[in-house]
Each structure stands twice: as structure tokens, then as C-alpha cells.
Amino acid sequence: MNYQTKKSSLFLKKISRATTTFTQIWQVRNLWVLLVGAFLMMACDDPEEIGTELFGQDIGLTYTDTLTVDASTIQLDSMQTSGIPSVIVGNMSHPIFGDYTAKTFFQPTNMDTIKIDTLGTNAYKASLVESVDSLALYLVFRRVAGDTTKAQTFKLYRVKSTATPTVSKVYNTGDALPDYDPTPLATVTRNPLKPIRNANSTSEDTSKYSYVKVPLPMALAREIFAKRNLSSANAVVYDKFKDVVKGFVLVSETSQNSALSYFSVGQSMMDLSYHYTYTYRKTTGVDTTVSVNKTTSFYLSNGTASTGEQNVRWSNITVNRKGALANLKKPADALKSSDADGYVYMDNISGLAVKLRFPTLLKLKANKNIAINKAELILEPDQPVSGFSRITNLVAIQENGANRPLRFTSTNGFVYANSETQIASYATKANSYTFNVTSALQNILSGKATTNGWILTPTWIGLASSSATSVSVLSSSRIVAVEPVQAVFNAKNIKLKVYYTHISK
């Protein structure tokens, strides 16, 4: 190809990118007229405005269009709550989503033996006096949703010895908690709840968040303390401690218009405090009595890369929905936006997601070859209700045609949208989430994609890998959002913008 021909092709591409809605760009047959016009346009044309380069062959008509989007709210399967970084407790009333009740089960275990007689005190065994001082549970806040100005009453129950929770099972929001004794071990009221210690702190620990201290009975402290000084083969650690204490159930007995508390698994713990004394007897002079104070911590999350998670925990969550959302009762139920005053909803707590379909997309082909230069899916949310968090990230999953996420047969992992953007982060200035779905639409038009639609749901960055230019989701068989987040969208504010070209054969 000579120089003149190369420049002609370049200018043709430039002209093809200057588009308006359904405006036809007539091909110019006179090459010299075309060159002059192209030179005049180059000073103000933004080559990135439309998108990727067009095909280097005969170019047809170029269009921009905003396509119709059919939006529905769907009910996902029960959300997994075992193995996540929080346990969830409380009662909350949301003006749109309904009334929530959450209670939780967890197991604390110790990594170190409860051992008093350490090297250096062996010579004084006859004078060694051991005594337990206290046992307390410290529940550190991670997130809170709802009204934190109200009083909150927490009750802790001991799980019955016949309970058989196991780490090998996945527990969801709808799974019942283990049986527990009817009389609570402890009752604590915080008035007000006041979960934040320092709102200016950026740390995810007790420098920012407050905690709930639950003093436990001395009878339980002495029961655990009696297991001290056992040989390493019989030491009460990990599963052997769970043979003594199967776990606890935590509930909140507070009115519905209060809050859901998310307690950090990594920061919360149970502490057993004790001391021992021994007398150092001197042959001459005054004997010396030594006193040592110690604390053994029992953690809600124990495990290593080799052993995996050691403790079982999950939260049981129920919701009494209001209005049109009350029609979503079982997995795969759908509620069209037209049946909900034009709105669709997301709620990670109870598993509400948004399904989008594009009924007019295939009409773009018009029996011609088509190239998608750029496509953007844009969602503008309503303002969140006071006391509730905005969704940080949305993830796009392919839909199986029956209101459920499409999964890989081999791994059961979700099939995410095969596009430039799988996760869209909230843009504050634009008040929107934007997915670049260029490749995904091209796959639908070419017949490579199995369905004409996606499911959008909240996710969290722990399931994502990011770079300077994109955020993509990692392989996963579940979606867990740590934060209590919801979103409301007017379906009119969900737009699919497509820049495309008909290619002549």
C-alpha cells in the first residue's frame, strides 16, 4: 500500500468516528474533497471519544444509539454467611426493603494451651496457687446498618452439647442455628449502640470501631480453667476445646427500628484471665512471693493455610418485605420494574439482584455485518436511605435464561460478563456505575454468548483483582458483600449506549 492510500484509509477512519444519533455519514467519492474535509476536522476530533478502531476494510454506515433496557428485580438463592469476615446480629426496619432479623452462631477456640506450670516454677509446685479471675467476650464492630441512636440488647446463649456444626458444610442465611440452652449466659445493653470510636480513623480495627464487652459467668470460666495443665496430647486446643464448649448463639432483643450489627471475626475474641502465685523460700531472710497474671485468648476465626478454617460460624437472616417486593418469595422469582413503579432493587443481605435484558439489541444487525466500536452500560442510583451504605462495586454475571446466575459445570463458579469491565465502581461526581461492555455485546451479536442479558449484584473488592486500567473479578462460586448495602434504581436511569458500524462485505 502506497503513502497516498494509507492516508486515505486513515482519514476515512477519522470521519467514521464523528457520529451522531442515527445520523448517516455519506461516503465521499471524490478523494480530494475527502482529504480537505478531513484536514479541517482533525484539529477538534477526539480519537478516543467513540472507541476502538474500525475494521480496515470497506466501511459502511456508523451510528450511535441508546438501546432499550428491560430491568427486573430477582431473588437469588440464599446468601452464604459461613466463612465470611463478619457475624451479623440485630433487628432493623428499612423503609423500602422491609424488616430484618439476624442472629448468629460462632465458635471460639484457643491456639495456645491453658498452662500454668511453666519452666521456672517447677521447684515451687508445693506452694503454687492458681486462680481464675474472669471470662469475657469482646465483639468488635465492623459495620452497622440502621439507627444506632437506639438502645440495643444482646443475649448470649450456650449451644447444646448435642450440636454437630461442621466446617465442611456451607451455611446460608436461611439455615437454622444449632439448638441452644433456653437460659442466656449473659445479657448486655448498650444505650445508644455507638459503634464508632473514631470516625476519622481509616483503620479496620478498634482504633476506629468500638466493641461490646459481654462478661461471662464465673462457672463457665472455672469449667474452662479446669482443663489447664494437660499434657500436649490432651491439651484443650482447637477441636478439643470445641468438645468442651460447642459454641454460642448471639441474638438481639430490640425493637425492629434499630440496627444490624456486623461484628468482625478477625478482631473479636473471648479472653480468660487468671493468675498464679508461688513462694520463693530463702534459707535466710524473708521469703519472696511471686504473682503472675495471664490471659488466654479464644478466637472466632482460627486456622492456617495448611489446616484451613477451624471454626464454624454463620448468621441466620430473615426479612419481612414490604410493598411490591413482598412478591419475591423464592429463588428465581422476578419483579419487573413496570410492576414496581418503575424501580429495581439490590440488597446483598437478603439476595436481591437486578436482571437486565436488551430486547432491541439484535435489531442493530439489520441483516448486515456489524462491529461494536464501544458500548457502555450506565446505572444512576437513587440516594441511599440515611443510615445505610452505598454499594461500592457492582459485578456483572451472565444469566442462564431462568433468572439465575450462569455457572461453570466443572467448578460451579459464576460465569462473569466476558467484557472489558466485569466490576463497576461507584463514581461520585457522575453518580453512576459504568461498565464497558463492548466485547460482551459483540459476543451476543455474533451468537457466542448464550443469553441476551446479565445479572448485576453487589460484590466486594476482596473478590476482585485491579490494575491501573481495569478491575476484573476473580473466579468464585459465591458472592459475598461484607458491607450492609442496598441500592434503588429508576429503570429510566439505566442506559445502554452503543457506538457501532455496519461493515460492507
mmCIF file of all heavy atoms in Angstrom, residues 429-474:
data_model
loop_
_atom_site.group_PDB
_atom_site.id
_atom_site.type_symbol
_atom_site.label_atom_id
_atom_site.label_comp_id
_atom_site.label_asym_id
_atom_site.label_seq_id
_atom_site.Cartn_x
_atom_site.Cartn_y
_atom_site.Cartn_z
ATOM 1 N N LYS A 429 -18.817 11.873 41.342
ATOM 2 C CA LYS A 429 -19.193 13.075 40.590
ATOM 3 C C LYS A 429 -20.314 12.789 39.595
ATOM 4 O O LYS A 429 -21.233 13.581 39.432
ATOM 5 C CB LYS A 429 -17.966 13.653 39.876
ATOM 6 C CG LYS A 429 -16.947 14.278 40.816
ATOM 7 C CD LYS A 429 -15.810 14.922 40.034
ATOM 8 C CE LYS A 429 -14.818 15.582 40.973
ATOM 9 N NZ LYS A 429 -13.699 16.227 40.235
ATOM 10 N N ALA A 430 -20.241 11.665 38.930
ATOM 11 C CA ALA A 430 -21.248 11.331 37.927
ATOM 12 C C ALA A 430 -22.467 10.647 38.528
ATOM 13 O O ALA A 430 -23.491 10.506 37.865
ATOM 14 C CB ALA A 430 -20.637 10.424 36.861
ATOM 15 N N ASN A 431 -22.369 10.231 39.802
ATOM 16 C CA ASN A 431 -23.419 9.454 40.462
ATOM 17 C C ASN A 431 -23.839 8.276 39.576
ATOM 18 O O ASN A 431 -25.005 8.097 39.222
ATOM 19 C CB ASN A 431 -24.639 10.324 40.785
ATOM 20 C CG ASN A 431 -25.721 9.542 41.524
ATOM 21 O OD1 ASN A 431 -25.420 8.709 42.385
ATOM 22 N ND2 ASN A 431 -26.979 9.778 41.182
ATOM 23 N N SER A 432 -22.850 7.451 39.253
ATOM 24 C CA SER A 432 -23.161 6.349 38.342
ATOM 25 C C SER A 432 -22.156 5.217 38.467
ATOM 26 O O SER A 432 -21.055 5.380 38.995
ATOM 27 C CB SER A 432 -23.181 6.847 36.895
ATOM 28 O OG SER A 432 -21.889 7.275 36.500
ATOM 29 N N TYR A 433 -22.571 4.060 37.983
ATOM 30 C CA TYR A 433 -21.708 2.905 37.768
ATOM 31 C C TYR A 433 -21.647 2.695 36.247
ATOM 32 O O TYR A 433 -22.688 2.680 35.578
ATOM 33 C CB TYR A 433 -22.275 1.645 38.417
ATOM 34 C CG TYR A 433 -22.571 1.770 39.892
ATOM 35 C CD1 TYR A 433 -23.814 2.239 40.325
ATOM 36 C CD2 TYR A 433 -21.639 1.401 40.855
ATOM 37 C CE1 TYR A 433 -24.114 2.344 41.673
ATOM 38 C CE2 TYR A 433 -21.927 1.501 42.207
ATOM 39 C CZ TYR A 433 -23.169 1.979 42.613
ATOM 40 O OH TYR A 433 -23.459 2.083 43.946
ATOM 41 N N THR A 434 -20.449 2.531 35.698
ATOM 42 C CA THR A 434 -20.303 2.392 34.253
ATOM 43 C C THR A 434 -19.521 1.133 33.911
ATOM 44 O O THR A 434 -18.384 0.953 34.351
ATOM 45 C CB THR A 434 -19.601 3.613 33.644
ATOM 46 O OG1 THR A 434 -20.372 4.789 33.932
ATOM 47 C CG2 THR A 434 -19.470 3.464 32.140
ATOM 48 N N PHE A 435 -20.149 0.251 33.147
ATOM 49 C CA PHE A 435 -19.493 -0.949 32.620
ATOM 50 C C PHE A 435 -19.143 -0.709 31.159
ATOM 51 O O PHE A 435 -19.984 -0.260 30.381
ATOM 52 C CB PHE A 435 -20.429 -2.155 32.679
ATOM 53 C CG PHE A 435 -20.729 -2.668 34.052
ATOM 54 C CD1 PHE A 435 -21.789 -2.137 34.779
ATOM 55 C CD2 PHE A 435 -19.985 -3.693 34.604
ATOM 56 C CE1 PHE A 435 -22.100 -2.624 36.039
ATOM 57 C CE2 PHE A 435 -20.277 -4.181 35.868
ATOM 58 C CZ PHE A 435 -21.336 -3.645 36.586
ATOM 59 N N ASN A 436 -17.900 -1.014 30.779
ATOM 60 C CA ASN A 436 -17.530 -1.080 29.370
ATOM 61 C C ASN A 436 -17.870 -2.495 28.892
ATOM 62 O O ASN A 436 -17.232 -3.468 29.277
ATOM 63 C CB ASN A 436 -16.041 -0.795 29.194
ATOM 64 C CG ASN A 436 -15.618 -0.803 27.736
ATOM 65 O OD1 ASN A 436 -16.281 -1.376 26.879
ATOM 66 N ND2 ASN A 436 -14.492 -0.169 27.448
ATOM 67 N N VAL A 437 -18.903 -2.606 28.070
ATOM 68 C CA VAL A 437 -19.407 -3.924 27.663
ATOM 69 C C VAL A 437 -19.254 -4.147 26.161
ATOM 70 O O VAL A 437 -20.035 -4.862 25.544
ATOM 71 C CB VAL A 437 -20.887 -4.083 28.084
ATOM 72 C CG1 VAL A 437 -21.013 -4.134 29.592
ATOM 73 C CG2 VAL A 437 -21.744 -2.953 27.511
ATOM 74 N N THR A 438 -18.238 -3.551 25.583
ATOM 75 C CA THR A 438 -18.029 -3.650 24.135
ATOM 76 C C THR A 438 -17.932 -5.100 23.670
ATOM 77 O O THR A 438 -18.660 -5.544 22.780
ATOM 78 C CB THR A 438 -16.758 -2.873 23.739
ATOM 79 O OG1 THR A 438 -16.840 -1.532 24.231
ATOM 80 C CG2 THR A 438 -16.588 -2.860 22.230
ATOM 81 N N SER A 439 -17.018 -5.853 24.265
ATOM 82 C CA SER A 439 -16.827 -7.247 23.849
ATOM 83 C C SER A 439 -18.050 -8.091 24.156
ATOM 84 O O SER A 439 -18.411 -8.988 23.379
ATOM 85 C CB SER A 439 -15.594 -7.833 24.539
ATOM 86 O OG SER A 439 -14.423 -7.142 24.161
ATOM 87 N N ALA A 440 -18.692 -7.819 25.292
ATOM 88 C CA ALA A 440 -19.859 -8.616 25.682
ATOM 89 C C ALA A 440 -20.990 -8.466 24.664
ATOM 90 O O ALA A 440 -21.631 -9.459 24.286
ATOM 91 C CB ALA A 440 -20.336 -8.196 27.072
ATOM 92 N N LEU A 441 -21.249 -7.250 24.193
ATOM 93 C CA LEU A 441 -22.294 -7.056 23.191
ATOM 94 C C LEU A 441 -21.916 -7.682 21.861
ATOM 95 O O LEU A 441 -22.762 -8.233 21.156
ATOM 96 C CB LEU A 441 -22.579 -5.567 23.013
ATOM 97 C CG LEU A 441 -23.316 -4.849 24.149
ATOM 98 C CD1 LEU A 441 -23.881 -3.521 23.659
ATOM 99 C CD2 LEU A 441 -24.424 -5.696 24.722
ATOM 100 N N GLN A 442 -20.647 -7.583 21.500
ATOM 101 C CA GLN A 442 -20.212 -8.199 20.248
ATOM 102 C C GLN A 442 -20.410 -9.714 20.302
ATOM 103 O O GLN A 442 -20.794 -10.344 19.313
ATOM 104 C CB GLN A 442 -18.740 -7.876 19.983
ATOM 105 C CG GLN A 442 -18.266 -8.249 18.584
ATOM 106 C CD GLN A 442 -18.884 -7.362 17.504
ATOM 107 O OE1 GLN A 442 -18.716 -6.147 17.516
ATOM 108 N NE2 GLN A 442 -19.618 -7.987 16.581
ATOM 109 N N ASN A 443 -20.180 -10.305 21.495
ATOM 110 C CA ASN A 443 -20.387 -11.742 21.653
ATOM 111 C C ASN A 443 -21.858 -12.120 21.518
ATOM 112 O O ASN A 443 -22.201 -13.167 20.960
ATOM 113 C CB ASN A 443 -19.863 -12.205 23.009
ATOM 114 C CG ASN A 443 -18.352 -12.236 23.067
ATOM 115 O OD1 ASN A 443 -17.687 -12.327 22.046
ATOM 116 N ND2 ASN A 443 -17.796 -12.135 24.262
ATOM 117 N N ILE A 444 -22.746 -11.252 22.025
ATOM 118 C CA ILE A 444 -24.179 -11.517 21.890
ATOM 119 C C ILE A 444 -24.590 -11.443 20.422
ATOM 120 O O ILE A 444 -25.304 -12.301 19.905
ATOM 121 C CB ILE A 444 -24.995 -10.523 22.737
ATOM 122 C CG1 ILE A 444 -24.748 -10.763 24.233
ATOM 123 C CG2 ILE A 444 -26.482 -10.647 22.435
ATOM 124 C CD1 ILE A 444 -25.405 -9.742 25.127
ATOM 125 N N LEU A 445 -24.118 -10.425 19.732
ATOM 126 C CA LEU A 445 -24.491 -10.235 18.330
ATOM 127 C C LEU A 445 -23.934 -11.344 17.432
ATOM 128 O O LEU A 445 -24.554 -11.718 16.436
ATOM 129 C CB LEU A 445 -24.012 -8.877 17.840
ATOM 130 C CG LEU A 445 -24.749 -7.662 18.422
ATOM 131 C CD1 LEU A 445 -24.008 -6.375 18.079
ATOM 132 C CD2 LEU A 445 -26.179 -7.607 17.901
ATOM 133 N N SER A 446 -22.771 -11.856 17.793
ATOM 134 C CA SER A 446 -22.152 -12.902 16.975
ATOM 135 C C SER A 446 -22.671 -14.288 17.318
ATOM 136 O O SER A 446 -22.344 -15.263 16.638
ATOM 137 C CB SER A 446 -20.632 -12.880 17.154
ATOM 138 O OG SER A 446 -20.286 -13.215 18.494
ATOM 139 N N GLY A 447 -23.471 -14.387 18.402
ATOM 140 C CA GLY A 447 -24.014 -15.676 18.807
ATOM 141 C C GLY A 447 -23.123 -16.459 19.744
ATOM 142 O O GLY A 447 -23.465 -17.587 20.121
ATOM 143 N N LYS A 448 -21.981 -15.895 20.175
ATOM 144 C CA LYS A 448 -21.090 -16.603 21.092
ATOM 145 C C LYS A 448 -21.665 -16.658 22.505
ATOM 146 O O LYS A 448 -21.429 -17.611 23.242
ATOM 147 C CB LYS A 448 -19.717 -15.936 21.115
ATOM 148 C CG LYS A 448 -18.949 -16.053 19.808
ATOM 149 C CD LYS A 448 -17.581 -15.369 19.923
ATOM 150 C CE LYS A 448 -16.816 -15.503 18.624
ATOM 151 N NZ LYS A 448 -15.489 -14.828 18.702
ATOM 152 N N ALA A 449 -22.379 -15.617 22.924
ATOM 153 C CA ALA A 449 -23.000 -15.599 24.250
ATOM 154 C C ALA A 449 -24.304 -16.388 24.203
ATOM 155 O O ALA A 449 -25.045 -16.347 23.220
ATOM 156 C CB ALA A 449 -23.261 -14.164 24.699
ATOM 157 N N THR A 450 -24.589 -17.099 25.284
ATOM 158 C CA THR A 450 -25.758 -17.977 25.293
ATOM 159 C C THR A 450 -27.045 -17.239 25.615
ATOM 160 O O THR A 450 -28.127 -17.723 25.263
ATOM 161 C CB THR A 450 -25.559 -19.101 26.322
ATOM 162 O OG1 THR A 450 -25.302 -18.514 27.618
ATOM 163 C CG2 THR A 450 -24.381 -19.986 25.933
ATOM 164 N N THR A 451 -26.967 -16.111 26.321
ATOM 165 C CA THR A 451 -28.177 -15.377 26.685
ATOM 166 C C THR A 451 -28.001 -13.892 26.392
ATOM 167 O O THR A 451 -26.885 -13.376 26.348
ATOM 168 C CB THR A 451 -28.509 -15.537 28.181
ATOM 169 O OG1 THR A 451 -27.419 -15.059 28.966
ATOM 170 C CG2 THR A 451 -28.786 -16.995 28.517
ATOM 171 N N ASN A 452 -29.120 -13.227 26.231
ATOM 172 C CA ASN A 452 -29.130 -11.795 25.943
ATOM 173 C C ASN A 452 -29.453 -11.033 27.224
ATOM 174 O O ASN A 452 -30.492 -10.404 27.353
ATOM 175 C CB ASN A 452 -30.176 -11.511 24.865
ATOM 176 C CG ASN A 452 -30.273 -10.038 24.519
ATOM 177 O OD1 ASN A 452 -29.561 -9.205 25.065
ATOM 178 N ND2 ASN A 452 -31.177 -9.708 23.619
ATOM 179 N N GLY A 453 -28.567 -11.126 28.207
ATOM 180 C CA GLY A 453 -28.811 -10.409 29.451
ATOM 181 C C GLY A 453 -27.822 -10.760 30.537
ATOM 182 O O GLY A 453 -27.080 -11.749 30.433
ATOM 183 N N TRP A 454 -27.814 -9.941 31.581
ATOM 184 C CA TRP A 454 -26.897 -10.112 32.704
ATOM 185 C C TRP A 454 -27.625 -9.918 34.018
ATOM 186 O O TRP A 454 -28.709 -9.328 34.075
ATOM 187 C CB TRP A 454 -25.739 -9.107 32.629
ATOM 188 C CG TRP A 454 -24.954 -9.168 31.356
ATOM 189 C CD1 TRP A 454 -24.422 -10.277 30.775
ATOM 190 C CD2 TRP A 454 -24.631 -8.071 30.502
ATOM 191 N NE1 TRP A 454 -23.773 -9.941 29.607
ATOM 192 C CE2 TRP A 454 -23.885 -8.582 29.411
ATOM 193 C CE3 TRP A 454 -24.879 -6.703 30.544
ATOM 194 C CZ2 TRP A 454 -23.402 -7.786 28.385
ATOM 195 C CZ3 TRP A 454 -24.403 -5.907 29.521
ATOM 196 C CH2 TRP A 454 -23.672 -6.437 28.461
ATOM 197 N N ILE A 455 -26.988 -10.404 35.072
ATOM 198 C CA ILE A 455 -27.432 -10.145 36.441
ATOM 199 C C ILE A 455 -26.389 -9.255 37.091
ATOM 200 O O ILE A 455 -25.193 -9.548 37.041
ATOM 201 C CB ILE A 455 -27.591 -11.458 37.231
ATOM 202 C CG1 ILE A 455 -28.762 -12.261 36.666
ATOM 203 C CG2 ILE A 455 -27.820 -11.170 38.715
ATOM 204 C CD1 ILE A 455 -28.920 -13.637 37.291
ATOM 205 N N LEU A 456 -26.839 -8.156 37.687
ATOM 206 C CA LEU A 456 -25.949 -7.255 38.404
ATOM 207 C C LEU A 456 -26.229 -7.367 39.894
ATOM 208 O O LEU A 456 -27.390 -7.372 40.323
ATOM 209 C CB LEU A 456 -26.157 -5.803 37.950
ATOM 210 C CG LEU A 456 -25.990 -5.503 36.465
ATOM 211 C CD1 LEU A 456 -26.095 -4.001 36.224
ATOM 212 C CD2 LEU A 456 -24.672 -6.028 35.933
ATOM 213 N N THR A 457 -25.167 -7.447 40.671
ATOM 214 C CA THR A 457 -25.309 -7.602 42.108
ATOM 215 C C THR A 457 -24.121 -6.962 42.802
ATOM 216 O O THR A 457 -23.061 -6.777 42.185
ATOM 217 C CB THR A 457 -25.402 -9.098 42.472
ATOM 218 O OG1 THR A 457 -25.650 -9.244 43.876
ATOM 219 C CG2 THR A 457 -24.130 -9.828 42.123
ATOM 220 N N PRO A 458 -24.245 -6.591 44.074
ATOM 221 C CA PRO A 458 -23.091 -6.037 44.786
ATOM 222 C C PRO A 458 -22.004 -7.082 44.943
ATOM 223 O O PRO A 458 -22.274 -8.284 45.024
ATOM 224 C CB PRO A 458 -23.664 -5.643 46.157
ATOM 225 C CG PRO A 458 -25.139 -5.579 45.964
ATOM 226 C CD PRO A 458 -25.458 -6.576 44.891
ATOM 227 N N THR A 459 -20.783 -6.646 44.988
ATOM 228 C CA THR A 459 -19.672 -7.511 45.338
ATOM 229 C C THR A 459 -18.731 -6.688 46.194
ATOM 230 O O THR A 459 -18.986 -5.531 46.501
ATOM 231 C CB THR A 459 -18.955 -8.052 44.099
ATOM 232 O OG1 THR A 459 -17.980 -9.015 44.519
ATOM 233 C CG2 THR A 459 -18.250 -6.961 43.318
ATOM 234 N N TRP A 460 -17.648 -7.263 46.588
ATOM 235 C CA TRP A 460 -16.650 -6.514 47.341
ATOM 236 C C TRP A 460 -15.286 -6.777 46.743
ATOM 237 O O TRP A 460 -15.052 -7.783 46.108
ATOM 238 C CB TRP A 460 -16.685 -6.853 48.829
ATOM 239 C CG TRP A 460 -16.419 -8.273 49.187
ATOM 240 C CD1 TRP A 460 -17.191 -9.371 48.892
ATOM 241 C CD2 TRP A 460 -15.313 -8.772 49.932
ATOM 242 N NE1 TRP A 460 -16.637 -10.506 49.397
ATOM 243 C CE2 TRP A 460 -15.487 -10.180 50.052
ATOM 244 C CE3 TRP A 460 -14.194 -8.184 50.528
ATOM 245 C CZ2 TRP A 460 -14.581 -10.984 50.738
ATOM 246 C CZ3 TRP A 460 -13.298 -8.999 51.213
ATOM 247 C CH2 TRP A 460 -13.495 -10.380 51.302
ATOM 248 N N ILE A 461 -14.394 -5.825 46.966
ATOM 249 C CA ILE A 461 -13.120 -5.816 46.247
ATOM 250 C C ILE A 461 -12.253 -7.018 46.608
ATOM 251 O O ILE A 461 -11.307 -7.348 45.919
ATOM 252 C CB ILE A 461 -12.356 -4.501 46.510
ATOM 253 C CG1 ILE A 461 -11.390 -4.209 45.354
ATOM 254 C CG2 ILE A 461 -11.676 -4.510 47.864
ATOM 255 C CD1 ILE A 461 -12.087 -3.903 44.054
ATOM 256 N N GLY A 462 -12.602 -7.730 47.701
ATOM 257 C CA GLY A 462 -11.877 -8.941 48.051
ATOM 258 C C GLY A 462 -12.028 -10.033 47.019
ATOM 259 O O GLY A 462 -11.232 -10.962 46.977
ATOM 260 N N LEU A 463 -13.057 -9.947 46.184
ATOM 261 C CA LEU A 463 -13.239 -10.921 45.117
ATOM 262 C C LEU A 463 -12.684 -10.433 43.794
ATOM 263 O O LEU A 463 -12.916 -11.043 42.766
ATOM 264 C CB LEU A 463 -14.733 -11.228 44.936
ATOM 265 C CG LEU A 463 -15.404 -12.062 46.020
ATOM 266 C CD1 LEU A 463 -16.862 -12.279 45.671
ATOM 267 C CD2 LEU A 463 -14.716 -13.399 46.189
ATOM 268 N N ALA A 464 -11.974 -9.304 43.829
ATOM 269 C CA ALA A 464 -11.545 -8.694 42.571
ATOM 270 C C ALA A 464 -10.045 -8.480 42.540
ATOM 271 O O ALA A 464 -9.380 -8.367 43.561
ATOM 272 C CB ALA A 464 -12.258 -7.357 42.367
ATOM 273 N N SER A 465 -9.503 -8.436 41.332
ATOM 274 C CA SER A 465 -8.127 -8.011 41.129
ATOM 275 C C SER A 465 -8.175 -6.745 40.299
ATOM 276 O O SER A 465 -8.975 -6.623 39.382
ATOM 277 C CB SER A 465 -7.320 -9.088 40.398
ATOM 278 O OG SER A 465 -7.848 -9.294 39.105
ATOM 279 N N SER A 466 -7.356 -5.770 40.639
ATOM 280 C CA SER A 466 -7.438 -4.496 39.945
ATOM 281 C C SER A 466 -6.078 -4.098 39.391
ATOM 282 O O SER A 466 -5.038 -4.523 39.869
ATOM 283 C CB SER A 466 -7.933 -3.405 40.895
ATOM 284 O OG SER A 466 -7.037 -3.257 41.977
ATOM 285 N N SER A 467 -6.118 -3.294 38.361
ATOM 286 C CA SER A 467 -4.911 -2.718 37.779
ATOM 287 C C SER A 467 -5.183 -1.255 37.532
ATOM 288 O O SER A 467 -6.222 -0.728 37.911
ATOM 289 C CB SER A 467 -4.554 -3.434 36.469
ATOM 290 O OG SER A 467 -5.562 -3.195 35.508
ATOM 291 N N ALA A 468 -4.250 -0.580 36.913
ATOM 292 C CA ALA A 468 -4.425 0.856 36.681
ATOM 293 C C ALA A 468 -5.557 1.140 35.706
ATOM 294 O O ALA A 468 -6.122 2.216 35.700
ATOM 295 C CB ALA A 468 -3.118 1.453 36.158
ATOM 296 N N THR A 469 -5.890 0.162 34.882
ATOM 297 C CA THR A 469 -6.868 0.427 33.820
ATOM 298 C C THR A 469 -8.170 -0.337 33.959
ATOM 299 O O THR A 469 -9.148 -0.001 33.316
ATOM 300 C CB THR A 469 -6.256 0.066 32.456
ATOM 301 O OG1 THR A 469 -5.852 -1.323 32.477
ATOM 302 C CG2 THR A 469 -5.048 0.931 32.164
ATOM 303 N N SER A 470 -8.193 -1.398 34.777
ATOM 304 C CA SER A 470 -9.420 -2.188 34.835
ATOM 305 C C SER A 470 -9.534 -2.908 36.160
ATOM 306 O O SER A 470 -8.568 -3.051 36.902
ATOM 307 C CB SER A 470 -9.446 -3.213 33.702
ATOM 308 O OG SER A 470 -8.406 -4.151 33.875
ATOM 309 N N VAL A 471 -10.722 -3.350 36.454
ATOM 310 C CA VAL A 471 -10.978 -4.196 37.606
ATOM 311 C C VAL A 471 -11.699 -5.434 37.112
ATOM 312 O O VAL A 471 -12.717 -5.337 36.441
ATOM 313 C CB VAL A 471 -11.848 -3.471 38.658
ATOM 314 C CG1 VAL A 471 -12.093 -4.379 39.854
ATOM 315 C CG2 VAL A 471 -11.179 -2.184 39.109
ATOM 316 N N SER A 472 -11.162 -6.599 37.392
ATOM 317 C CA SER A 472 -11.803 -7.839 36.945
ATOM 318 C C SER A 472 -12.044 -8.735 38.145
ATOM 319 O O SER A 472 -11.349 -8.671 39.146
ATOM 320 C CB SER A 472 -10.915 -8.561 35.926
ATOM 321 O OG SER A 472 -9.672 -8.889 36.502
ATOM 322 N N VAL A 473 -13.047 -9.577 38.034
ATOM 323 C CA VAL A 473 -13.426 -10.422 39.158
ATOM 324 C C VAL A 473 -12.641 -11.728 39.120
ATOM 325 O O VAL A 473 -12.350 -12.263 38.065
ATOM 326 C CB VAL A 473 -14.944 -10.695 39.139
ATOM 327 C CG1 VAL A 473 -15.313 -11.649 38.020
ATOM 328 C CG2 VAL A 473 -15.420 -11.213 40.471
ATOM 329 N N LEU A 474 -12.267 -12.200 40.289
ATOM 330 C CA LEU A 474 -11.577 -13.471 40.389
ATOM 331 C C LEU A 474 -12.589 -14.608 40.328
ATOM 332 O O LEU A 474 -13.774 -14.423 40.595
ATOM 333 C CB LEU A 474 -10.793 -13.551 41.707
ATOM 334 C CG LEU A 474 -9.706 -12.495 41.902
ATOM 335 C CD1 LEU A 474 -9.080 -12.649 43.278
ATOM 336 C CD2 LEU A 474 -8.637 -12.612 40.834
#
